[in-house]
PDB file of all heavy atoms in Angstrom:
ATOM      1  N   HIS A 194      -6.923 -15.333   1.188  1.00  0.00           N
ATOM      2  CA  HIS A 194      -7.588 -16.055   0.112  1.00  0.00           C
ATOM      3  C   HIS A 194      -7.399 -15.332  -1.231  1.00  0.00           C
ATOM      4  O   HIS A 194      -7.015 -15.947  -2.226  1.00  0.00           O
ATOM      5  CB  HIS A 194      -9.069 -16.199   0.466  1.00  0.00           C
ATOM      6  CG  HIS A 194      -9.828 -17.044  -0.486  1.00  0.00           C
ATOM      7  ND1 HIS A 194      -9.670 -18.410  -0.542  1.00  0.00           N
ATOM      8  CD2 HIS A 194     -10.717 -16.714  -1.442  1.00  0.00           C
ATOM      9  CE1 HIS A 194     -10.443 -18.885  -1.494  1.00  0.00           C
ATOM     10  NE2 HIS A 194     -11.096 -17.878  -2.067  1.00  0.00           N
ATOM     11  N   ILE A 195      -7.641 -14.036  -1.253  1.00  0.00           N
ATOM     12  CA  ILE A 195      -7.500 -13.252  -2.491  1.00  0.00           C
ATOM     13  C   ILE A 195      -6.023 -13.223  -2.917  1.00  0.00           C
ATOM     14  O   ILE A 195      -5.693 -13.313  -4.103  1.00  0.00           O
ATOM     15  CB  ILE A 195      -8.039 -11.812  -2.295  1.00  0.00           C
ATOM     16  CG1 ILE A 195      -9.515 -11.837  -1.911  1.00  0.00           C
ATOM     17  CG2 ILE A 195      -7.834 -10.969  -3.556  1.00  0.00           C
ATOM     18  CD1 ILE A 195     -10.072 -10.498  -1.436  1.00  0.00           C
ATOM     19  N   ALA A 196      -5.129 -13.135  -1.926  1.00  0.00           N
ATOM     20  CA  ALA A 196      -3.695 -13.020  -2.220  1.00  0.00           C
ATOM     21  C   ALA A 196      -3.147 -14.259  -2.934  1.00  0.00           C
ATOM     22  O   ALA A 196      -2.268 -14.137  -3.781  1.00  0.00           O
ATOM     23  CB  ALA A 196      -2.917 -12.762  -0.934  1.00  0.00           C
ATOM     24  N   GLU A 197      -3.664 -15.431  -2.603  1.00  0.00           N
ATOM     25  CA  GLU A 197      -3.182 -16.690  -3.217  1.00  0.00           C
ATOM     26  C   GLU A 197      -3.158 -16.589  -4.738  1.00  0.00           C
ATOM     27  O   GLU A 197      -2.156 -16.847  -5.381  1.00  0.00           O
ATOM     28  CB  GLU A 197      -4.121 -17.861  -2.849  1.00  0.00           C
ATOM     29  CG  GLU A 197      -3.980 -18.394  -1.449  1.00  0.00           C
ATOM     30  CD  GLU A 197      -2.650 -19.081  -1.194  1.00  0.00           C
ATOM     31  OE1 GLU A 197      -2.040 -19.596  -2.157  1.00  0.00           O
ATOM     32  OE2 GLU A 197      -2.220 -19.044  -0.024  1.00  0.00           O
ATOM     33  N   GLN A 198      -4.293 -16.208  -5.287  1.00  0.00           N
ATOM     34  CA  GLN A 198      -4.441 -16.179  -6.735  1.00  0.00           C
ATOM     35  C   GLN A 198      -3.587 -15.055  -7.350  1.00  0.00           C
ATOM     36  O   GLN A 198      -2.925 -15.254  -8.366  1.00  0.00           O
ATOM     37  CB  GLN A 198      -5.934 -16.024  -7.049  1.00  0.00           C
ATOM     38  CG  GLN A 198      -6.313 -16.253  -8.486  1.00  0.00           C
ATOM     39  CD  GLN A 198      -6.370 -14.938  -9.260  1.00  0.00           C
ATOM     40  OE1 GLN A 198      -6.443 -13.852  -8.684  1.00  0.00           O
ATOM     41  NE2 GLN A 198      -6.333 -15.043 -10.584  1.00  0.00           N
ATOM     42  N   ARG A 199      -3.571 -13.910  -6.696  1.00  0.00           N
ATOM     43  CA  ARG A 199      -2.793 -12.774  -7.221  1.00  0.00           C
ATOM     44  C   ARG A 199      -1.298 -13.084  -7.181  1.00  0.00           C
ATOM     45  O   ARG A 199      -0.549 -12.697  -8.074  1.00  0.00           O
ATOM     46  CB  ARG A 199      -3.084 -11.500  -6.409  1.00  0.00           C
ATOM     47  CG  ARG A 199      -4.508 -11.026  -6.570  1.00  0.00           C
ATOM     48  CD  ARG A 199      -4.707  -9.631  -5.993  1.00  0.00           C
ATOM     49  NE  ARG A 199      -6.115  -9.265  -6.040  1.00  0.00           N
ATOM     50  CZ  ARG A 199      -6.585  -8.044  -5.879  1.00  0.00           C
ATOM     51  NH1 ARG A 199      -5.761  -7.046  -5.629  1.00  0.00           N
ATOM     52  NH2 ARG A 199      -7.871  -7.801  -5.938  1.00  0.00           N
ATOM     53  N   HIS A 200      -0.871 -13.786  -6.134  1.00  0.00           N
ATOM     54  CA  HIS A 200       0.530 -14.171  -5.985  1.00  0.00           C
ATOM     55  C   HIS A 200       0.941 -15.108  -7.129  1.00  0.00           C
ATOM     56  O   HIS A 200       1.982 -14.923  -7.759  1.00  0.00           O
ATOM     57  CB  HIS A 200       0.707 -14.872  -4.633  1.00  0.00           C
ATOM     58  CG  HIS A 200       2.110 -15.309  -4.358  1.00  0.00           C
ATOM     59  ND1 HIS A 200       3.026 -14.498  -3.735  1.00  0.00           N
ATOM     60  CD2 HIS A 200       2.770 -16.462  -4.640  1.00  0.00           C
ATOM     61  CE1 HIS A 200       4.178 -15.131  -3.636  1.00  0.00           C
ATOM     62  NE2 HIS A 200       4.057 -16.331  -4.176  1.00  0.00           N
ATOM     63  N   HIS A 201       0.114 -16.082  -7.380  1.00  0.00           N
ATOM     64  CA  HIS A 201       0.378 -17.060  -8.425  1.00  0.00           C
ATOM     65  C   HIS A 201       0.527 -16.360  -9.788  1.00  0.00           C
ATOM     66  O   HIS A 201       1.431 -16.670 -10.572  1.00  0.00           O
ATOM     67  CB  HIS A 201      -0.755 -18.091  -8.444  1.00  0.00           C
ATOM     68  CG  HIS A 201      -0.571 -19.144  -9.478  1.00  0.00           C
ATOM     69  ND1 HIS A 201       0.408 -20.104  -9.364  1.00  0.00           N
ATOM     70  CD2 HIS A 201      -1.192 -19.373 -10.648  1.00  0.00           C
ATOM     71  CE1 HIS A 201       0.367 -20.878 -10.429  1.00  0.00           C
ATOM     72  NE2 HIS A 201      -0.594 -20.464 -11.223  1.00  0.00           N
ATOM     73  N   TYR A 202      -0.355 -15.414 -10.030  1.00  0.00           N
ATOM     74  CA  TYR A 202      -0.334 -14.663 -11.290  1.00  0.00           C
ATOM     75  C   TYR A 202       0.996 -13.907 -11.449  1.00  0.00           C
ATOM     76  O   TYR A 202       1.608 -13.909 -12.525  1.00  0.00           O
ATOM     77  CB  TYR A 202      -1.517 -13.682 -11.299  1.00  0.00           C
ATOM     78  CG  TYR A 202      -1.722 -12.962 -12.610  1.00  0.00           C
ATOM     79  CD1 TYR A 202      -2.495 -13.536 -13.616  1.00  0.00           C
ATOM     80  CD2 TYR A 202      -1.157 -11.717 -12.829  1.00  0.00           C
ATOM     81  CE1 TYR A 202      -2.684 -12.871 -14.823  1.00  0.00           C
ATOM     82  CE2 TYR A 202      -1.341 -11.051 -14.029  1.00  0.00           C
ATOM     83  CZ  TYR A 202      -2.106 -11.631 -15.018  1.00  0.00           C
ATOM     84  OH  TYR A 202      -2.290 -10.977 -16.207  1.00  0.00           O
ATOM     85  N   MET A 203       1.474 -13.308 -10.368  1.00  0.00           N
ATOM     86  CA  MET A 203       2.760 -12.588 -10.411  1.00  0.00           C
ATOM     87  C   MET A 203       3.930 -13.522 -10.646  1.00  0.00           C
ATOM     88  O   MET A 203       4.870 -13.186 -11.357  1.00  0.00           O
ATOM     89  CB  MET A 203       3.015 -11.886  -9.063  1.00  0.00           C
ATOM     90  CG  MET A 203       2.447 -10.530  -8.948  1.00  0.00           C
ATOM     91  SD  MET A 203       3.094  -9.636  -7.517  1.00  0.00           S
ATOM     92  CE  MET A 203       3.000 -10.799  -6.188  1.00  0.00           C
ATOM     93  N   GLU A 204       3.878 -14.697 -10.012  1.00  0.00           N
ATOM     94  CA  GLU A 204       4.967 -15.672 -10.200  1.00  0.00           C
ATOM     95  C   GLU A 204       5.061 -16.091 -11.655  1.00  0.00           C
ATOM     96  O   GLU A 204       6.146 -16.168 -12.233  1.00  0.00           O
ATOM     97  CB  GLU A 204       4.709 -16.916  -9.337  1.00  0.00           C
ATOM     98  CG  GLU A 204       5.197 -16.761  -7.927  1.00  0.00           C
ATOM     99  CD  GLU A 204       5.037 -18.044  -7.128  1.00  0.00           C
ATOM    100  OE1 GLU A 204       4.196 -18.904  -7.499  1.00  0.00           O
ATOM    101  OE2 GLU A 204       5.737 -18.189  -6.126  1.00  0.00           O
ATOM    102  N   THR A 205       3.902 -16.349 -12.250  1.00  0.00           N
ATOM    103  CA  THR A 205       3.865 -16.734 -13.660  1.00  0.00           C
ATOM    104  C   THR A 205       4.448 -15.618 -14.518  1.00  0.00           C
ATOM    105  O   THR A 205       5.222 -15.861 -15.437  1.00  0.00           O
ATOM    106  CB  THR A 205       2.403 -17.019 -14.084  1.00  0.00           C
ATOM    107  OG1 THR A 205       1.856 -17.933 -13.151  1.00  0.00           O
ATOM    108  CG2 THR A 205       2.308 -17.591 -15.482  1.00  0.00           C
ATOM    109  N   PHE A 206       4.066 -14.394 -14.202  1.00  0.00           N
ATOM    110  CA  PHE A 206       4.567 -13.239 -14.951  1.00  0.00           C
ATOM    111  C   PHE A 206       6.093 -13.151 -14.888  1.00  0.00           C
ATOM    112  O   PHE A 206       6.763 -13.005 -15.911  1.00  0.00           O
ATOM    113  CB  PHE A 206       3.938 -11.938 -14.416  1.00  0.00           C
ATOM    114  CG  PHE A 206       4.603 -10.705 -14.957  1.00  0.00           C
ATOM    115  CD1 PHE A 206       4.259 -10.204 -16.211  1.00  0.00           C
ATOM    116  CD2 PHE A 206       5.609 -10.062 -14.232  1.00  0.00           C
ATOM    117  CE1 PHE A 206       4.898  -9.088 -16.728  1.00  0.00           C
ATOM    118  CE2 PHE A 206       6.254  -8.947 -14.743  1.00  0.00           C
ATOM    119  CZ  PHE A 206       5.906  -8.456 -15.992  1.00  0.00           C
ATOM    120  N   VAL A 207       6.658 -13.273 -13.697  1.00  0.00           N
ATOM    121  CA  VAL A 207       8.118 -13.123 -13.543  1.00  0.00           C
ATOM    122  C   VAL A 207       8.856 -14.280 -14.244  1.00  0.00           C
ATOM    123  O   VAL A 207       9.879 -14.062 -14.903  1.00  0.00           O
ATOM    124  CB  VAL A 207       8.521 -12.995 -12.052  1.00  0.00           C
ATOM    125  CG1 VAL A 207      10.033 -13.067 -11.874  1.00  0.00           C
ATOM    126  CG2 VAL A 207       8.010 -11.670 -11.490  1.00  0.00           C
ATOM    127  N   GLN A 208       8.304 -15.483 -14.155  1.00  0.00           N
ATOM    128  CA  GLN A 208       8.913 -16.625 -14.864  1.00  0.00           C
ATOM    129  C   GLN A 208       8.955 -16.365 -16.362  1.00  0.00           C
ATOM    130  O   GLN A 208       9.967 -16.575 -17.024  1.00  0.00           O
ATOM    131  CB  GLN A 208       8.091 -17.903 -14.621  1.00  0.00           C
ATOM    132  CG  GLN A 208       8.457 -18.631 -13.341  1.00  0.00           C
ATOM    133  CD  GLN A 208       7.393 -19.658 -12.971  1.00  0.00           C
ATOM    134  OE1 GLN A 208       6.547 -20.029 -13.807  1.00  0.00           O
ATOM    135  NE2 GLN A 208       7.409 -20.103 -11.733  1.00  0.00           N
TER     136      GLN A 208
END
Side-chain angles (χ1 to χ4, degrees):
H194 186 72
I195 300 169
E197 284 293 333
Q198 192 265 342
R199 294 191 186 195
H200 180 89
H201 180 70
Y202 187 87
M203 272 193 314
E204 275 185 338
T205 308
F206 169 82
V207 171
Q208 275 165 16

